[in-house]
Amino acid sequence: MRDGWEFVRYSSDIRSNACEGQLGHRVTFPWSSRSISRRRTWGEGRPFGGSRLNPTFAYQIMSGTRHASRNKLIQLAFGLGLDIDESCDLLERGGSSALCPSCCRDAAIAYCLERSLGVDACDDLLLDLGEKTIRVI
């Protein structure tokens, strides 16, 4: 477990804790599809449904044929149902920075990931906090 995320994992309201100061090289993902698929079960053709990404684009990211922005990788983490640690690993393997507990936006994203709230709910929370949303609204 990564350090610094206790306030996200055990807090009932992120709005009171997230913004009070508590808070290059690309690699392909040959590990992701298989290892995550073994741990999770999905309906046929629906593994990335909650990500709000085009399924073809999501599969291209996972196979390493396409590179994705940090926001697209975060969307992929929501679609795969990853927790904070797995999402940070996905971001780092994708050549982006991991979620940072001292960043208000990242703390809100981690809060939603930890509670499996989904991309839309996360965007609503980010909008309420005055932060940049994951998807363009």
Side-chain angles (χ1 to χ4, degrees), residues 94-135:
S96 296
S97 60
L99 296 173
C100 177
S102 62
C103 173
C104 183
R105 181 177 187 266
D106 286 358
I109 291 168
Y111 179 86
C112 294
L113 283 167
E114 191 68 20
R115 287 159 180 75
S116 303
L117 295 180
V119 176
D120 295 329
C122 186
D123 276 345
D124 291 342
L125 177 61
L126 289 170
L127 202 59
D128 289 347
L129 293 171
E131 297 291 333
K132 183 181 169 202
T133 58
I134 298 169
R135 295 177 31 211

Side-chain angles (χ1 to χ4, degrees), residues 7-133:
F7 74 98
V8 170
R9 287 189 170 102
Y10 305 115
S11 174
S12 61
D13 182 24
I14 192 66
R15 288 174 181 86
S16 62
N17 294 322
C19 299
E20 294 178 1
Q22 292 182 3
L23 297 182
H25 171 70
R26 298 211 180 242
V27 179
T28 59
F29 303 104
W31 59 272
S32 327
S33 309
R34 287 188 209 104
S35 63
I36 292 171
S37 305
R38 280 194 286 265
R39 292 181 293 128
R40 310 209 190 283
T41 55
W42 294 293
E44 185 67 29
R46 300 291 303 164
F48 307 114
S51 69
R52 301 284 193 246
L53 289 173
N54 179 309
T56 303
F57 182 57
Y59 279 108
Q60 289 171 340
I61 294 169
M62 295 298 284
S63 68
T65 59
R66 294 279 302 266
H67 297 295
S69 67
R70 187 170 191 261
N71 282 340
K72 296 299 179 192
L73 291 172
I74 290 170
Q75 281 183 255
L76 192 58
F78 275 105
L80 293 170
L82 303 181
D83 64 15
I84 295 171
D85 297 327
E86 293 168 329
S87 299
C88 289
D89 189 38
L90 179 76
L91 288 167
E92 288 173 346
R93 289 176 184 258
S96 296
S97 60
L99 296 173
C100 177
S102 62
C103 173
C104 183
R105 181 177 187 266
D106 286 358
I109 291 168
Y111 179 86
C112 294
L113 283 167
E114 191 68 20
R115 287 159 180 75
S116 303
L117 295 180
V119 176
D120 295 329
C122 186
D123 276 345
D124 291 342
L125 177 61
L126 289 170
L127 202 59
D128 289 347
L129 293 171
E131 297 291 333
K132 183 181 169 202
T133 58

